[in-house]
Amino acid sequence: MASSANLEDIPSMDLMTELLRRMKCATKPDKRLILVGPPGSGKGTQSPIIKDEYCLCHLATGDMLRAAVAAKTPLGIKAKEAMDKGELVSDDLVVGIIDEAIKKPSCQKGFILDGFPRTVVQAEKLDEMLAKKGTKVDKVLNFAIDDAILEERITGRWIHPSSGRTYHSKFAPPKVPGIDDVTGEPLIQRKDDTAAVLRSRLEAFHRQTEPVIDYYSKKGVVAQLHADQPPNVVTAEVQKVLSS
Ligand code: AP5
């Protein structure tokens, strides 16, 4: 928590904005959401919008693992090989990351899990974790889309590493190619965003992650999205599902 000395240094307008944000958040219902879909289906694009609307934390296991790989932590060293090949990392590694992350104060009103759970074992472990806290998953948003559309989305994706802002050379181009609109810093492409690695990622999705959708369908919490539509149309679908 910031000390009073730190607070004095924060401009009044910023403090007011934060206060108003917190007041608005207090009126929002708690939500525990899972976003599931193949690579490039738009989970990372929609997450920040849902996060702001409902004051949730956004936990993307892929981003967390990439940060660990870049920092060469023991976790990152273990995860790197599987990630480079487009395979899943071990259940124990990712379950441990999520167990820690959902305790953060920013997750107090709930969370968006983006890219987790990706196996039925992970889903069972998550449900156990939540049951211990007396809560459960409220909704699973299934980003349904045909595989054929995904190669163009994945190979055209550009990322601003420090903010996580995502662009697409055709569908959401930056103002200057290769440059972040906000900071002017260079954009990068992910190492696993090639057509060849995408094939392994899709294979892992169909074999290991689709059963997660069946697992939560039996619990009656899955909502279908038509993720092949333009981003703003998908956003409208998400909002409809979450307000019902
Ligand atoms: P992760 O980082 O989770 O990758 P992913 O699931 O493959 O998902 P992506 O980030 O590629 O896709 P997205 O749906 O977020 O697409 P986006 O919105 O950016 O995982 C990477 C690796 O980490 C895994 O392979 C695995 O090794 C490991 N891992 C992670 N979690 C794990 C777990 N739980 N267990 C085990 N291993 C794990 O959109 C893509 C592009 O399309 C963007 O350029 C965007 O601008 C554009 N776009 C988005 N929506 C639209 C639209 N509606 N129309 C047109 N273009 C659009």
Side-chain angles (χ1 to χ4, degrees):
M1 188 192 273
S3 70
S4 54
N6 285 343
L7 283 177
E8 280 168 14
D9 293 337
I10 300 173
S12 303
M13 193 51 90
D14 291 354
L15 276 176
M16 287 297 288
T17 308
E18 177 60 12
L19 192 63
L20 286 173
R21 190 189 72 80
R22 291 199 185 189
M23 283 166 67
K24 193 187 98 186
C25 287
T27 66
K28 302 278 178 171
D30 292 7
K31 281 195 191 293
R32 291 168 196 86
L33 308 175
I34 292 173
L35 272 46
V36 65
S41 56
K43 307 178 296 292
T45 300
Q46 299 298 329
S47 288
I49 303 169
I50 308 171
K51 173 189 149 129
D52 289 347
E53 174 75 24
Y54 290 96
C55 309
L56 308 173
C57 67
H58 172 209
L59 304 178
T61 38
D63 292 347
M64 293 168 172
L65 289 168
R66 275 186 291 280
V69 170
K72 296 196 169 71
T73 65
L75 170 81
I77 291 164
K78 281 188 199 149
K80 186 176 184 307
E81 197 184 330
M83 293 179 76
D84 285 349
K85 286 195 277 186
E87 294 168 3
L88 297 188
V89 309
S90 81
D91 290 333
D92 287 346
L93 286 188
V94 278
V95 168
I97 301 183
I98 289 293
D99 197 13
E100 251 335 285
I102 56 177
K103 293 175 189 155
K104 290 194 299 189
S106 57
C107 300
Q108 202 187 340
K109 290 205 64 68
F111 49 71
I112 303 163
L113 298 181
D114 165 0
F116 179 92
R118 253 177 158 97
T119 65
V120 172
V121 171
Q122 292 178 18
E124 288 167 347
K125 297 251 171 154
L126 171 68
D127 286 354
E128 278 168 31
M129 259 182 245
L130 297 180
K132 279 189 200 146
K133 298 178 211 297
T135 58
K136 61 180 175 51
V137 170
D138 297 311
K139 200 78 93 184
V140 175
L141 304 182
N142 178 18
F143 283 64
I145 188 164
D146 207 89
D147 283 4
I149 301 174
L150 298 172
E151 183 175 324
E152 188 179 27
R153 283 203 192 174
I154 285 291
T155 54
R157 171 164 58 187
W158 288 85
I159 296 165
H160 177 240
S162 58
S163 70
R165 263 185 294 283
T166 299
Y167 299 86
H168 191 281
S169 49
K170 180 169 163 191
F171 304 123
K175 288 180 192 137
V176 179
I179 300 294
D180 178 45
D181 287 353
V182 179
T183 62
E185 290 167 358
L187 303 175
I188 57 143
Q189 287 199 290
R190 260 168 58 177
K191 205 175 167 191
D192 59 347
D193 275 354
T194 62
V197 180
L198 175 64
R199 279 193 285 281
S200 312
R201 291 161 66 193
L202 282 173
E203 201 267 325
F205 174 77
H206 291 303
R207 193 165 51 85
Q208 293 167 279
T209 308
E210 271 178 351
V212 173
I213 302 170
D214 298 337
Y215 171 87
Y216 283 113
S217 293
K218 291 187 187 120
K219 295 176 185 270
V221 290
V222 176
Q224 300 290 340
L225 301 174
H226 301 90
D228 52 351
Q229 304 173 99
N232 59 332
V233 180
V234 179
T235 303
E237 268 198 1
V238 169
Q239 279 165 345
K240 198 169 163 203
V241 163
L242 294 185
S243 59
S244 63

